[in-house]
Amino acid sequence: MTYQANCNIQFSEILDRLNIVVPPRGRQRTTEHCEKWTLHKALSILHSHNMISFPISIKKSEKPDYWIEMSGKTYGVELTEIIHPDYARVQTLPEAQNDKSVLDPSLFKWGTETRSTEDLRQIAAQDELTGEPWIGDNVEREFVQSIVDTVVAKRKKLTAHYKRAEVDVLLIYHNQSTPALDFTQGLEYTKQKLVSCWGQGFNVVAVIKYEQLFVFTESSATIF
């Protein structure tokens, strides 16, 4: 599948085609659903800030997930989601479908060891919050660490066997549930921690959080 646009009107039509409804976890959600939603979200934000230039061609591929040509430059875009795997799993359990179920995100902080299915069933059956709250700037530090861990893991795959573009982009949907993030602090912390990640890996790390897009390069850090 290849999308092409030579003007804003045509690009808006591409956005309409990418704008899909993603089913809940465990209800026929596919990787394709998530990839289209993530790409649509990022492109919509960039378009609203006049960051899209023409002509542009967007092609679905593998390793990386999308191959984009824009104004004569190639972009290899790899997509991924940040969420504790147990938090994703627990949402699909029968116990979690009970109206009284309270899934406590503080039990699934980034870096928490994985649990057995039986442990997750017990958590899903709870009807109140029981975990330890975030304190101080722990929300921002967890945000940063989850991004750095993901960049490091994906960089190994990129350098090993991915097709390389002029600009290699890692586009992350940050779906880890936490209290409200201080965007300014999160941006600065992440910029500092990513210093060691530049070089032979991704040229751009973009992170969707809520309705914002964080964009990091070796020389800049911006929120759109």
Side-chain angles (χ1 to χ4, degrees):
M1 174 68 72
T2 301
Y3 306 95
Q4 295 179 319
N6 293 303
C7 63
N8 283 315
I9 293 176
Q10 292 177 350
F11 190 75
S12 294
E13 293 174 353
I14 292 176
L15 292 179
D16 288 341
R17 294 171 67 182
L18 291 172
N19 188 15
I20 63 169
V21 176
V22 180
R25 295 185 190 279
R27 299 185 184 179
Q28 299 184 326
R29 177 187 292 193
T30 66
T31 299
E32 183 180 1
H33 284 132
C34 299
E35 288 181 348
K36 280 189 173 182
W37 184 93
T38 301
L39 185 65
H40 171 267
K41 190 74 171 178
L43 291 178
S44 295
I45 293 172
L46 292 173
H47 188 227
S48 70
H49 286 82
N50 299 313
M51 298 298 292
I52 301 297
S53 56
F54 304 104
I56 184 170
S57 171
I58 305 168
K59 181 180 180 180
K60 181 69 182 80
S61 63
E62 293 295 333
K63 300 179 182 180
D65 294 311
Y66 282 92
W67 189 262
I68 297 177
E69 295 185 14
M70 185 169 68
S71 296
K73 183 172 289 187
T74 59
Y75 298 80
V77 183
E78 178 68 7
L79 279 62
T80 193
E81 178 184 18
I82 287 180
I83 185 172
H84 194 293
D86 277 357
Y87 193 55
R89 286 174 57 205
V90 75
Q91 294 174 39
T92 68
L93 296 176
E95 291 82 356
Q97 312 314 313
N98 189 309
D99 290 340
K100 294 183 179 180
S101 173
V102 175
L103 298 180
D104 188 345
S106 69
L107 296 174
F108 303 96
K109 293 184 176 76
W110 190 257
T112 301
E113 293 185 4
T114 56
R115 298 177 172 90
S116 67
T117 300
E118 182 57 34
D119 286 342
L120 293 180
R121 289 185 183 278
Q122 292 179 17
I123 290 173
Q126 294 176 357
D127 59 4
E128 60 182 358
L129 300 175
T130 59
E132 293 292 327
W134 287 263
I135 299 174
D137 61 355
N138 284 353
V139 170
E140 290 72 34
R141 294 194 179 281
E142 182 179 330
F143 174 75
V144 173
Q145 194 59 52
S146 65
I147 293 172
V148 172
D149 289 347
T150 301
V151 170
V152 170
K154 282 290 186 178
R155 183 178 58 182
K156 292 178 182 179
K157 296 180 179 180
L158 173 73
T159 56
H161 53 262
Y162 276 41
K163 179 181 178 180
R164 303 300 295 267
E166 292 175 83
V167 181
D168 292 310
V169 181
L170 179 59
L171 175 56
I172 300 169
Y173 171 39
H174 198 282
N175 199 18
Q176 181 73 2
S177 185
T178 64
L181 174 74
D182 182 317
F183 282 8
T184 301
Q185 202 168 40
L187 182 77
E188 185 59 31
Y189 284 6
T190 306
K191 177 184 176 181
Q192 294 173 10
K193 289 284 284 187
L194 284 178
V195 167
S196 61
C197 294
W198 306 116
Q200 299 301 312
F202 294 99
N203 306 104
V204 178
V205 175
V207 183
I208 298 168
K209 186 65 174 179
Y210 309 133
E211 298 301 313
Q212 310 300 131
L213 181 68
F214 293 70
V215 178
F216 301 94
T217 69
E218 187 171 6
S219 60
S220 66
T222 308
I223 301 177
F224 292 99

